[in-house]
Amino acid sequence: MEHVAERGLSQPLMHAQRSCATLLDRSVFDAADAFAARRTVGALERADHIRLVRWLAWQSVARNPQALTRIERLDARLAASVLHARGQLPAYGRPKLSEGLRRTA
């Protein structure tokens, strides 16, 4: 059964999220889970890949401390993208202040 939030997602993105969630939720790293996740991530289009990176950034903050390490073992480039996206996340629910924005009336 699909959740309401999943209705707008593509099938490949949902499969990639589920396989990555399985990888992140296990108590120990399993190579079979990593292989399945790598296969689903590789099948994503660019827009879905960006959505997955943002989702993984949130997961790396909210889940177990090994989440980023497991993503890195899955794919180093994906982990670098997740780390960059994680830096763009709002801190404690508030957007980061940007010093470079022009403030005009």
Side-chain angles (χ1 to χ4, degrees):
M1 179 171 189
E2 68 181 29
H3 299 287
V4 175
E6 288 183 337
R7 289 186 184 158
L9 302 178
S10 67
Q11 283 295 109
L13 179 58
M14 284 191 296
H15 288 300
Q17 283 181 337
R18 289 177 185 152
S19 63
C20 288
T22 301
L23 178 72
L24 298 177
D25 285 340
R26 300 267 186 200
S27 58
V28 294
F29 184 82
D30 186 11
D33 291 337
F35 181 74
R38 192 174 294 130
R39 186 175 30 139
T40 58
V41 169
L44 294 176
E45 294 178 4
R46 181 170 166 75
D48 284 341
H49 190 270
I50 293 169
R51 287 184 190 107
L52 180 70
V53 166
R54 282 192 217 125
W55 182 80
L56 284 172
W58 279 110
Q59 298 305 308
S60 70
V61 170
R63 289 181 188 258
N64 59 5
Q66 304 111 356
L68 193 58
T69 305
R70 290 186 181 184
I71 295 167
E72 191 173 62
R73 287 181 73 183
L74 174 68
D75 184 359
R77 285 180 36 196
L78 179 64
S81 298
V82 169
L83 193 58
H84 178 72
R86 195 168 141 175
Q88 303 300 319
L89 293 177
Y92 304 105
R94 298 177 63 199
K96 289 176 57 176
L97 296 176
S98 176
E99 310 302 328
L101 290 178
R102 292 186 347 194
R103 298 188 190 332
T104 59

